[in-house]
Amino acid sequence: MYNKTMSDQMKVNILFPINANAFTYLVPEELQSKIKIGARVLAPFKRGKKIGIVQRTEDRGQRTEVRRQSTEDRRQKTEVRTGHKAAGTGFKKEIILKPIEAVLDDEPLVPESLLKLIEWTGQYYMSTAGLALKNAIPSGIFEGKKGGKGRITYDDEIRPAAIFNLTSEQEKALSEINKAQSGAFLLHGVTGSGKTEIYLRAIEALGDKETIMLVPEIALTAQIIDRFRSRFKDKVAFFHSGLSPGERISQWRKIRNGEVKIALGVRSAVFAPFNNLGLIIIDEEHEASYKQFEGLRYSARDVALARAKIEGIKIVLGSATPSLETFYYAKKGKLTYLELTHRIEQKPMPRVEIVDMTKEEKESLSYSKKLLGVLKEALANGHQSLIMLNRRGYSPFLMCVDCGYTYKCPACSITLTYHKDTKTLNCHYCNSFLEPQDVCPQCKGVKIKYIGLGTQRIEEELQALIPELVLKRMDRDTTRKKLSHYRIVKDMEEKKIDVLLGTQMIAKGHDFPDVTVAAVVFADVALNLPDFRSSERTFQLFTQLAGRAGRGDAPGEVFIQTYEPHHYVFNYVCGHNYTGFYQNEIELRKELAYPPFSKLIRIVFNFKSKDTAKKIMKDVSARVKKITPPFPPLARGGDGGVAILGPAPAPVEKIRNYWRWHLILKGKNSKSLRQAASSVLEAMRDIKEIKIDVDVDPINLL
Ligand code: ADP
Ligand code: ZN
């Protein structure tokens, strides 16, 4: 035996599912042979013990892997200091490391490539690897929980998969995908062109390899679940927000134990713990819901692209209306472009008509005579209809006719939406609610008016106008219960419903062959939002809705009611003209140097009081001005330039009692942009009163 010095001993970096990077520990001699990257260990933490994952090992001062970024390294060290007592000695500060207590797995629980992805995610989103780990793995897994029953009660009867020959366009796209071992594809196919069929066959062609298929909120995809179940039986694990913690654990374990070949799910399924992944598919890649809006603000699509790169596998992004960024990158050759230009069986695209509500005769507040006539006709022919209004509740505000008072959320700078079913005024930001009074709280007036439209109101109106109609509403309020969405879709399929009415939920992905009419009640809700992506979103949403009509034997018709019929987006929607829209929009983006011509990082500053916010932001502003010089302005600085916009009050000034300011960094080069953001954060490190959120690649600037 010889005396070991500190540097002689084996050290490990342990990642815990908390918002921090890895911590360093010593490994006692008897545990050294058991240490494996990705295995769980039990380690002392603060005053207790915690379960973490071995991120990497350092043996006798020799690192098995070099850390990528020095800033991460620095941060890690400070965290080690705070997490563990650092002993200050006269000349040299030595960090006293503690030993881990046990290794809990014989085999790694988290595959090494997944660990790499988790690290990448923490770093890219200027967050921590620990928070990424927490997002990636169900919490019960760390404690070794076995999971619940894991039986998800969908209908047990599944219709057998239809058998047909692929169209020549499908054939061509599929063979390109099958041929490749790696690389990214954009599958751009008009609505109803058979994209899903290509996904299914590409998965079948993989043989032993595994697939992750992401969809934009599984609640929206009852039909996809059925198609996957009928094709792949019990070889599929499902991930969606309706799972209980126990179900989540058992789905995760099924994947980890190799019992399933496919993970189908929303965002977090991108972290499915497969060992032999061959393919990732992102359906409706343009969907905003791939981005997480709180905590770790990651885009599952972009993390998927990173995962495909790390694992050297192929990835398919599918959409009828690709995001501008994705289409741009496809044009530049970063993704292989695959196109489906026609609907299956050469079915025609639906006719789209803009209904000018300033001129049209109206039967009620929300319905033109024209639209009502069309709905009656569809009903008489045994066809179904979809009606969309992208705003839930009954009316977006109550107003006192005498003094103009409207109810605002006490915690957010947002007017409250009246919900008639619960007779409450709800905040759609923080979910709190109030009960309205009979008299105006301000002037005691008694004339209170409902202003504006919500899904509950257009439902009520339509039922009154056509009483014999069987109507169902689908929005977040009617789909809170587990599987309620699935049931509505089933009822629609089985033709128990004449008209399905709701928010954007009704526009996505469904394949109802008997729907001939799709309508937007009040398109103006979506136009002119103060966001550079608002036209893009409007175009995508209306095109997706139009895509639901006329998928069966009878042709489809689309009616868009609006008070702004000359808005430029409508031209492209009517013409089913994606490329025309793209060309117009990409020019605007270029002019303003918005993505894809730049990248954005948004920093949101949250304060407990309005006055503190103002005072401190003045200071912050001065500090930010000082740190700009190393980063040349965007216009003159070439690719390394960074523009710092703000700080300024955020458009939504208060949410959940926090007063918000924000700052947007814009740059072409991801690295210098990130450096600039780091400098901004560094410059205000000592200000205690701020709660800071960093959003890399933000898609919501409100
Ligand atoms: P998309 O995802 O592009 O909107 P789907 O994959 O849902 O389109 O296909 C639309 C419909 O056409 C589905 O009912 C599907 O089963 C059917 N379908 C797909 N490919 C074919 C084909 N080659 N021949 C006949 N029907 C097809
Ligand atoms: Zn609120």
Side-chain angles (χ1 to χ4, degrees):
M1 282 294 286
Y2 59 96
N3 253 344
K4 274 195 167 189
T5 63
M6 271 280 280
S7 59
D8 254 359
Q9 288 185 47
M10 186 188 198
K11 294 176 196 165
V12 279
N13 282 359
I14 306 296
L15 208 52
F16 298 103
I18 55 171
N19 190 4
N21 283 311
F23 295 81
T24 309
Y25 285 87
L26 296 176
V27 185
E29 189 122 32
E30 69 273 16
L31 295 180
Q32 293 190 357
S33 62
K34 294 179 79 181
I35 282 284
K36 282 187 182 132
I37 289 175
R40 288 176 311 146
V41 297
L42 184 68
F45 190 86
K46 294 197 175 150
R47 274 189 209 100
K49 287 171 193 177
K50 233 182 170 46
I51 297 172
I53 300 275
V54 180
Q55 187 187 25
R56 56 175 68 93
T57 59
E58 292 173 16
D59 204 354
R60 285 164 194 88
Q62 235 186 355
R63 292 174 182 187
T64 47
E65 227 178 293
V66 184
R67 285 182 204 148
R68 261 178 292 170
Q69 245 204 13
S70 60
T71 51
E72 191 202 0
D73 219 22
R74 266 207 313 278
R75 202 182 325 157
Q76 216 149 282
K77 284 210 178 106
T78 15
E79 269 146 17
V80 169
R81 284 204 189 97
T82 51
H84 308 256
K85 279 222 172 74
T89 54
F91 297 104
K92 206 170 108 197
K93 261 197 179 165
E94 179 101 34
I95 298 167
I96 308 262
L97 297 176
K98 291 183 179 172
I100 58 165
E101 296 192 356
V103 179
L104 304 176
D105 298 308
D106 296 335
E107 288 305 313
L109 182 76
V110 182
E112 205 171 335
S113 59
L114 177 54
L115 212 48
K116 274 207 182 111
L117 181 72
I118 287 169
E119 240 173 89
W120 178 91
T121 306
Q123 213 165 18
Y124 181 84
Y125 289 101
M126 298 187 74
S127 178
T128 59
L131 191 59
L133 179 70
K134 189 177 173 184
N135 273 267
I137 292 167
S139 58
I141 292 293
F142 294 103
E143 286 103 59
K145 293 212 177 96
K146 283 284 166 280
K149 270 264 162 289
R151 256 207 56 78
I152 305 169
T153 45
Y154 304 114
D155 280 5
D156 278 326
E157 249 177 86
I158 337 165
R159 260 174 283 145
I163 297 165
F164 38 66
N165 297 322
L166 292 184
T167 65
S168 60
E169 281 188 330
Q170 281 175 315
E171 201 72 76
K172 188 158 169 287
L174 180 65
S175 78
E176 290 256 359
I177 294 167
N178 286 348
K179 232 168 36 198
Q181 290 300 318
S182 60
F185 296 87
L186 169 59
L187 178 60
H188 183 195
V190 297
T191 53
S193 57
K195 293 186 288 296
T196 313
E197 190 57 35
I198 294 179
Y199 304 149
L200 295 167
R201 297 205 189 192
I203 295 170
E204 279 169 342
L206 283 178
D208 263 358
K209 295 233 173 113
E210 297 144 343
T211 305
I212 293 173
M213 164 117 179
L214 296 184
V215 289
E217 266 185 64
I218 204 121
L220 305 180
T221 54
Q223 292 180 319
I224 285 200
I225 292 180
D226 279 3
R227 277 170 88 172
F228 271 71
R229 287 172 74 229
S230 87
R231 211 53 91 94
F232 302 111
K233 307 289 181 300
D234 55 358
K235 290 292 171 209
V236 193
F238 299 99
F239 278 99
H240 55 85
S241 51
L243 295 185
S244 68
E247 285 167 337
R248 197 169 289 273
I249 291 170
S250 48
Q251 297 293 309
W252 199 89
R253 290 211 184 280
K254 271 192 190 172
I255 296 172
R256 190 62 197 86
N257 300 339
E259 291 165 38
V260 296
K261 288 253 171 276
I262 301 158
L264 172 61
V266 292
R267 277 197 302 267
S268 67
V270 73
F271 296 110
F274 282 124
N275 253 326
N276 188 22
L277 201 57
L279 172 67
I280 304 178
I281 297 166
I282 321 265
D283 192 25
E284 313 288 4
E285 66 82 29
H286 63 279
E287 278 284 325
S289 66
Y290 282 124
K291 175 92 176 176
Q292 183 153 288
F293 286 105
E294 277 180 350
L296 182 71
R297 292 169 163 75
Y298 72 99
S299 152
R301 179 194 62 195
D302 297 344
V303 172
L305 285 161
R307 183 163 188 177
K309 226 181 216 157
I310 288 172
E311 311 224 7
I313 58 165
K314 52 192 170 183
I315 177 165
V316 178
L317 275 53
S319 178
T321 51
S323 68
L324 248 63
E325 283 95 328
T326 302
F327 196 75
Y328 174 80
Y329 291 130
K331 282 197 142 204
K332 291 193 81 172
K334 288 194 182 173
L335 296 91
T336 305
Y337 185 66
L338 306 170
E339 197 178 16
L340 306 175
T341 55
H342 289 94
R343 281 188 162 182
I344 295 297
E345 291 160 6
Q346 305 288 324
K347 276 175 196 141
M349 297 304 286
R351 186 180 73 84
V352 182
E353 183 175 333
I354 304 301
V355 182
D356 181 353
M357 293 295 271
T358 63
K359 301 212 175 89
E360 205 67 36
E361 197 180 325
K362 277 169 237 139
E363 294 270 335
S364 73
L365 185 66
S366 327
Y367 294 93
S368 62
K369 198 168 179 176
K370 178 178 265 162
L371 176 54
L372 219 56
V374 177
L375 292 173
K376 283 180 183 155
E377 197 184 310
L379 182 64
N381 293 333
H383 291 147
Q384 295 169 298
S385 306
L386 297 175
I387 297 180
M388 181 172 79
L389 173 68
N390 210 8
R391 188 155 62 195
R392 65 198 172 90
Y394 187 80
S395 78
F397 48 101
L398 288 190
M399 195 175 89
C400 168
V401 177
D402 294 328
C403 74
Y405 177 86
T406 58
Y407 285 91
K408 293 227 166 60
C409 175
C412 312
S413 52
I414 288 291
T415 52
L416 295 172
T417 303
Y418 182 64
H419 285 241
K420 199 168 187 179
D421 51 352
T422 51
K423 299 198 174 52
T424 52
L425 286 154
N426 298 13
C427 176
H428 289 178
Y429 269 84
C430 72
N431 294 326
S432 66
F433 61 89
L434 291 177
E435 278 172 29
Q437 298 158 28
D438 297 332
V439 296
C440 168
Q442 188 166 275
C443 76
K444 308 291 171 218
V446 291
K447 280 176 270 169
I448 309 286
K449 240 183 130 168
Y450 303 107
I451 309 286
L453 305 172
T455 47
Q456 294 179 0
R457 191 171 196 177
I458 64 167
E459 176 189 24
E460 183 184 274
E461 274 184 25
L462 186 58
Q463 196 69 80
L465 290 164
I466 316 178
E468 66 271 28
L469 209 60
V470 181
L471 192 57
K472 245 302 177 314
R473 174 163 57 87
M474 181 157 75
D475 53 29
R476 208 162 351 127
D477 299 310
T478 65
T479 53
R480 280 188 207 285
K481 280 206 208 97
K482 197 170 165 179
L483 294 176
S484 48
H485 177 279
Y486 185 81
R487 294 289 157 221
I488 296 175
V489 171
K490 282 272 163 200
D491 285 351
M492 190 68 187
E493 273 184 351
E494 288 161 16
K495 296 201 71 178
K496 293 175 183 161
I497 301 171
D498 300 319
V499 173
L500 180 64
L501 175 154
T503 53
Q504 38 102 23
M505 276 188 180
I506 68 161
K508 309 293 171 67
H510 310 299
D511 186 30
F512 303 125
D514 283 329
V515 167
T516 55
V517 176
V520 182
V521 170
F522 183 53
D524 311 52
V525 178
L527 305 169
N528 309 324
L529 287 173
D531 185 321
F532 72 91
R533 285 196 178 88
S534 86
S535 294
E536 178 183 4
R537 290 209 189 114
T538 304
F539 175 79
Q540 287 163 340
L541 182 58
F542 293 173
T543 304
Q544 291 291 336
L545 178 73
R548 302 311 113 208
R551 293 168 79 97
D553 296 330
E557 280 186 301
V558 181
F559 297 87
I560 300 178
Q561 298 188 150
T562 175
Y563 289 84
E564 213 179 315
H566 302 297
H567 195 289
Y568 74 95
V569 161
F570 294 135
N571 271 333
Y572 301 113
V573 176
C574 290
H576 304 285
N577 185 0
Y578 176 86
T579 43
F581 174 76
Y582 171 83
Q583 268 150 16
N584 186 73
E585 204 63 18
I586 203 79
E587 285 306 315
L588 297 176
R589 295 278 178 96
K590 194 170 186 178
E591 234 163 77
L592 301 169
Y594 272 127
F597 299 98
S598 67
K599 286 188 148 266
L600 304 178
I601 293 179
R602 182 191 191 212
I603 302 177
V604 180
F605 310 91
N606 302 279
F607 299 90
K608 286 257 169 65
S609 96
K610 193 176 184 175
D611 292 340
T612 321
K614 211 167 168 187
K615 201 175 95 229
I616 290 178
M617 286 317 291
K618 211 172 152 190
D619 180 20
V620 168
S621 195
R623 295 188 191 194
V624 167
K625 284 215 177 73
K626 277 196 206 124
I627 56 152
T628 34
F631 308 99
L634 188 58
R636 280 180 285 123
D639 275 359
V642 175
I644 300 186
L645 316 172
V652 181
E653 252 193 293
K654 192 171 76 160
I655 295 180
R656 291 193 171 88
N657 285 317
Y658 276 100
W659 292 88
R660 311 162 73 239
W661 283 58
H662 71 171
L663 178 152
I664 292 165
L665 297 114
K666 196 198 273 191
K668 289 201 172 130
N669 176 302
S670 189
K671 201 168 154 211
S672 48
L673 182 65
R674 205 175 295 274
Q675 273 168 9
S678 296
S679 315
V680 169
L681 295 174
E682 193 60 44
M684 54 201 59
R685 197 183 262 276
D686 60 311
I687 308 178
K688 295 273 178 312
E689 297 91 334
I690 318 184
K691 197 171 132 295
I692 292 176
D693 297 318
V694 180
D695 193 347
V696 177
D697 304 331
I699 57 169
N700 177 353
L701 301 178
L702 299 177

